[in-house]
Amino acid sequence: SARTQQLVAEQFAVIGENDRAIKALQDAIKSAPRLEGSHLALAMLYLRMGRRQDALPEVDRELAIAPQSAAALALKQSLK
């Protein structure tokens, strides 16, 4: 399930397996495109990897799903 893929991605991110975490999040998004948190987690991974240009669209996608997300709003503000 998409939620399981999110959890798998979190575990990969914790151990520094960023590429595997990204793949798990992409799978989660493919399975459930409107699942809150997946785009935000992907944006944060991209930022950790220095991929700012990839992070911003993911933040925007998260805000389209969850416009009230304080974390996504704060991250978007920090990217300006």
Side-chain angles (χ1 to χ4, degrees):
S1 76
R3 183 64 73 191
T4 301
Q5 287 297 89
Q6 271 185 327
L7 295 172
V8 167
E10 286 177 20
Q11 293 306 307
F12 282 137
V14 166
I15 63 171
E17 293 282 341
N18 294 331
D19 291 334
R20 292 175 81 182
I22 287 170
K23 173 74 168 90
L25 285 168
Q26 289 170 336
D27 289 346
I29 290 167
K30 191 180 299 182
S31 176
R34 299 202 48 83
L35 179 63
E36 288 186 29
S38 293
H39 292 284
L40 180 59
L42 190 52
M44 293 170 73
L45 271 171
Y46 284 147
L47 282 176
R48 184 181 346 176
M49 297 172 72
R51 295 171 55 181
R52 187 179 186 282
Q53 74 283 359
D54 294 321
L56 189 55
E58 293 302 330
V59 174
D60 289 337
R61 288 180 186 109
E62 183 70 25
L63 287 169
I65 296 165
Q68 75 289 356
S69 171
L73 290 166
L75 186 56
K76 182 164 179 141
Q77 185 65 31
S78 75
L79 290 172
K80 288 186 177 182

